[in-house]
């Protein structure tokens, strides 16, 4: 375990924020904590319909649960399920004392309203942090479940020793899953946060002033060398699949030499996201078993 955090620190010296190594370290810590419990935390995943990408994501999450000795289950529901039937099903999971975390894999079929459906998950089992009770807590700076991707980014920044207080942070993206929550988390840590999005004019005027840049637009190589500030810290959240290859929102090869730290794609934010889901499930277990 000490070895992986040392390797992570070595990579920092090379300018790389290695989410895979940090993830390995954090998962080993989670595993130790789980092994000390008398009961295994359980994550219940739900997939609606037969989207192959959703099935793959859930498989990764289940594998990660196994790695840290948590149990998990997956239920594949019909794509024709009505919102009432789904609410009833979620309620069964809410009542089930053996289940600590509920994960509803998104996206949902078009006839289901995502925000309405998510409200059917008990906030104390909402390990994706998408119920409005958890969203509201984050907005107020209270503790609750934080979505896994922004949670993972905060861990990467923390473990890299990056100062946040008073720093200019630019977030590109304003989704409920990434952009909005990461902006709140950074502001809580006293950063000065600017949020850019698809209607932002002259994006580079903002990115050029960023001590820390979080790119979560989902546009391959949106960020080029001339758009980043020298010696800044870059977190690339984007995962853009082109011809079976994964690209970030940042042109890594161009930008790397100019900045202090950059997270690669793959091997950056991705593994950290799953790790934070495990952490949230462990937290849910502990909160339910006080
Ligand atoms: P989204 O499509 O919901 O939101 C994208 C945001 O980017 C929007 O707010 C939009 O306004 C903004 N945007 C789009 N084009 C832009 C442009 N040209 N300039 C400025 N802003 C622009 O996506 P999301 O769910 O927030 O995810 C963002 C990216 O992060 C995607 O590539 C997604 O695959 C990836 N992602 C990765 C992980 C991970 O674990 N690595 C997790 C979640 C999302």
């Amino acid at each position: 375990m000490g070895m992986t955090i040392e390797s992570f620190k070595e990579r920092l010296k090379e300018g790389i924020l290695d989410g895979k190594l940090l993830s390995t370290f954090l998962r080993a810590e989670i595993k130790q904590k789980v092994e000390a419990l008398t009961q295994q935390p359980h994550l219940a995943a739900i997939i609606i319909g037969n989207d192959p990408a959703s099935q793959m994501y859930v498989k990764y999450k289940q594998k990660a649960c196994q790695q840290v000795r948590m149990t998990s289950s997956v239920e594949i529901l019909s794509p024709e399920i009505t919102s009432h039937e789904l609410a009833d099903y979620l309620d069964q999971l809410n009542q089930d004392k053996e289940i600590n975390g509920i994960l509803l894999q998104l996206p949902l079929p078009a006839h289901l309203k995502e925000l309405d459906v998510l409200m059917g998950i008990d906030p104390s089992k909402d390990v994706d942090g998408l119920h409005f009770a958890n969203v509201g807590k984050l907005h107020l700076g209270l503790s609750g479940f934080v979505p896994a991707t922004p949670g993972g980014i905060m861990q990467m920044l923390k473990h890299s020793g990056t100062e946040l207080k008073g720093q200019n942070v630019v977030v590109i993206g304003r989704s409920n899953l990434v952009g909005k929550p990461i902006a709140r988390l950074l502001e809580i840590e006293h950063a000065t946060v600017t949020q850019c999005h698809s209607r932002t004019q002259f994006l580079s005027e903002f990115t050029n002033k960023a001590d820390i840049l979080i790119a979560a637009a989902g546009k391959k190589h949106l960020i080029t060398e001339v758009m980043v500030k020298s010696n800044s810290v870059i977190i690339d959240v984007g995962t853009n699949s082109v011809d079976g290859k994964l690209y970030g929102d940042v042109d890594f090869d161009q930008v790397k030499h100019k900045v202090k730290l950059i997270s690669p794609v793959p091997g950056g934010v991705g593994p950290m996201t799953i790790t934070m889901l495990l952490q949230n499930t462990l937290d849910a277990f502990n909160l339910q078993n006080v």
Side-chain angles (χ1 to χ4, degrees):
M1 198 154 98
M3 286 283 283
T4 42
I5 200 69
E6 287 316 315
S7 317
F8 170 76
K9 286 181 185 157
E10 282 303 312
R11 295 282 280 160
L12 290 179
K13 289 182 199 154
E14 296 161 18
I16 304 291
L17 251 170
D18 192 319
K20 199 156 180 244
L21 283 172
L22 182 57
S23 225
T24 306
F25 170 72
L26 293 174
R27 285 186 203 189
E29 275 195 338
I30 295 171
K31 183 178 164 207
Q32 273 195 346
K33 287 181 188 150
V34 170
E35 283 174 340
L37 300 171
T38 50
Q39 213 187 321
Q40 286 176 292
H42 184 91
L43 176 70
I46 306 159
I47 303 174
I48 303 179
N50 31 35
D51 174 31
S54 291
Q55 298 199 1
M56 190 181 72
Y57 289 138
V58 168
K59 207 172 275 174
Y60 288 150
K61 291 170 186 175
Q62 286 199 285
K63 222 173 121 188
C65 283
Q66 216 176 8
Q67 237 182 30
V68 300
R69 308 285 183 263
M70 290 184 189
T71 58
S72 66
S73 51
V74 57
E75 190 71 30
I76 300 179
L77 301 175
S78 157
E80 268 110 53
I81 192 166
T82 66
S83 53
H84 278 295
E85 287 165 344
L86 181 55
D88 284 345
Y89 180 71
L90 288 174
D91 216 40
Q92 276 178 40
L93 301 185
N94 289 339
Q95 305 297 332
D96 189 337
K97 293 211 162 18
E98 304 295 310
I99 290 172
N100 307 108
I102 301 172
L103 172 120
L104 180 62
Q105 187 63 44
L106 302 176
L108 300 179
H111 71 281
L112 296 169
K113 290 202 182 78
E114 198 172 287
L115 289 180
D116 289 350
V117 170
L118 288 167
M119 295 321 127
I121 296 175
D122 183 329
S124 70
K125 295 189 177 185
D126 172 37
V127 287
D128 263 342
L130 296 173
H131 188 287
F132 66 54
N134 285 314
V135 177
K137 281 183 175 175
L138 174 58
H139 194 80
L140 294 171
L142 302 172
S143 78
F145 290 111
V146 170
T149 302
I153 296 169
M154 292 306 283
Q155 287 293 322
M156 290 170 86
L157 291 170
K158 184 182 145 205
H159 282 87
S160 67
T162 302
E163 172 78 90
L164 298 174
K165 196 171 23 173
Q167 299 295 291
N168 277 336
V169 183
V170 171
V171 174
I172 308 179
R174 57 173 168 183
S175 69
N176 292 334
L177 210 58
V178 188
K180 280 184 205 163
I182 191 62
R184 289 280 71 72
L185 287 165
L186 290 160
E187 175 233 27
I188 289 168
E189 294 303 322
H190 313 292
T192 302
V193 183
T194 306
Q195 194 141 32
C196 298
H197 45 77
S198 54
R199 314 289 172 91
T200 299
Q201 294 182 29
F202 311 112
L203 186 64
S204 59
E205 287 187 13
F206 297 96
T207 60
N208 276 325
K209 294 197 183 78
D211 301 311
I212 301 165
L213 177 67
I214 316 279
K219 295 274 175 291
K220 179 190 164 190
H221 294 182
L222 173 70
I223 304 300
T224 56
E225 187 181 359
V226 292
M227 294 172 77
V228 300
K229 185 178 168 185
S230 294
N231 216 28
S232 58
V233 173
I234 315 282
I235 305 280
D236 192 351
V237 188
T239 50
N240 309 292
S241 175
V242 181
D243 297 330
K245 209 176 158 218
L246 210 58
Y247 297 89
D249 285 357
V250 181
D251 191 334
F252 183 93
D253 293 336
Q254 264 194 27
V255 165
K256 198 205 158 291
H257 75 97
K258 191 174 175 185
V259 299
K260 183 176 175 201
L261 280 176
I262 181 167
S263 72
V265 177
V269 176
M272 286 301 294
T273 294
I274 299 190
T275 300
M276 295 318 285
L277 172 70
L278 301 173
Q279 180 65 54
N280 282 352
T281 307
L282 175 59
D283 291 346
F285 176 92
N286 286 330
L287 288 166
Q288 290 156 26
N289 291 280
V290 276

